[in-house]
Amino acid sequence: MSTDISPVKGSSPAFSLTPQSLDEAMKYADLIAKSDIVPNDYRGKPANVLVAVQMGAEIGLPPLQALQNIAVVNGRPAVWGDSLMAIARAHPACEYITETFDEASMTATCRAKRRGGPEEVRTFSRADAEQAGLWGRNTWKQYPKRMLQMRARGFAIRDVFPDALRGIALAEEAQDMPPRDMGVAERVHERPTEPEAL
């Protein structure tokens, strides 16, 4: 693992535990999987740790941030909404991302702009949530404004910064999707090999 100490301006030096080889990554994953401070999806599962760390590296999250912000939802890795915002805002082409909420219509709006491109606006309202069968379910009942905000945010950021996200799902959306039935695997029987011609 890297022992580079990279000082951040105005702070004390930081110690990096970023693996530098596959062997280090496997040892790191095994060590982290034994920790009590990682989410349940990673406890005792070094393979999940390794995949999350690699996925985090691909979208700009250091190892420990990846483990705290990448969730496994219905068997698929997804990133939490606050981390989604951080990834997009760190993108070099990000000019701005702003969010507003209209209490009267219960509509969340997210505006995002890449440098040199037009502003993109995405909304998600209570009417949209009702039409999708989400309103009043699970977390929607407890935190309706937050869930509307996450939907508008997810649509805007995925549309404007797909290169930053590389196809990763938004965890708040993935939680509302039913698990996909992949069906039963078809067994393929090997054909006997034909004898080679002499």
Side-chain angles (χ1 to χ4, degrees):
M1 282 169 255
S2 170
T3 56
D4 293 341
I5 297 180
S6 310
V8 176
K9 190 173 183 179
S11 69
S12 58
F15 181 73
S16 172
L17 288 175
T18 304
Q20 300 298 307
S21 68
L22 180 58
D23 185 53
E24 284 184 3
M26 291 171 71
K27 288 177 183 174
Y28 179 86
D30 190 52
L31 178 72
I32 294 296
K34 293 174 182 172
S35 171
D36 289 335
I37 65 166
V38 294
N40 287 334
D41 288 329
Y42 303 115
R43 285 191 199 148
K45 300 174 184 172
N48 284 10
V49 170
L50 191 58
V51 170
V53 167
Q54 179 59 37
M55 183 165 292
E58 292 178 13
I59 59 174
L61 294 175
L64 294 179
Q65 285 183 24
L67 294 170
Q68 294 301 321
N69 292 291
I70 295 175
V72 180
V73 182
N74 294 328
R76 182 178 177 195
V79 69
W80 294 109
D82 293 333
S83 186
L84 182 83
M85 180 70 88
I87 292 165
R89 284 189 169 156
H91 193 282
C94 180
E95 190 168 325
Y96 62 79
I97 301 169
T98 60
E99 297 178 310
T100 56
F101 194 86
D102 183 319
E103 296 275 350
S105 64
M106 288 294 285
T107 301
T109 301
C110 183
R111 300 172 187 278
K113 186 175 184 308
R114 285 181 81 106
R115 295 188 207 295
E119 178 184 78
E120 300 282 348
V121 181
R122 301 294 181 269
T123 61
F124 203 80
S125 66
R126 174 179 178 161
D128 293 326
E130 288 174 344
Q131 184 176 351
L134 300 169
W135 196 257
R137 288 176 46 197
N138 307 322
T139 312
W140 285 86
K141 185 183 290 186
Q142 296 171 300
Y143 307 103
K145 293 179 188 178
R146 183 71 170 163
M147 296 308 289
L148 292 169
Q149 177 189 14
M150 289 301 106
R151 285 300 168 106
R153 176 185 291 181
F155 291 148
I157 292 177
R158 275 201 315 271
D159 289 349
V160 179
F161 300 101
D163 52 332
L165 303 180
R166 300 178 189 256
I168 196 165
L170 179 63
E172 287 85 352
E173 286 180 346
Q175 288 177 326
D176 291 325
M177 296 176 191
R180 287 193 295 178
D181 181 6
M182 301 301 286
V184 179
E186 181 182 342
R187 182 171 287 226
V188 178
H189 299 285
E190 290 185 26
R191 292 182 177 172
T193 56
E194 296 181 13
E196 293 183 18
L198 298 175

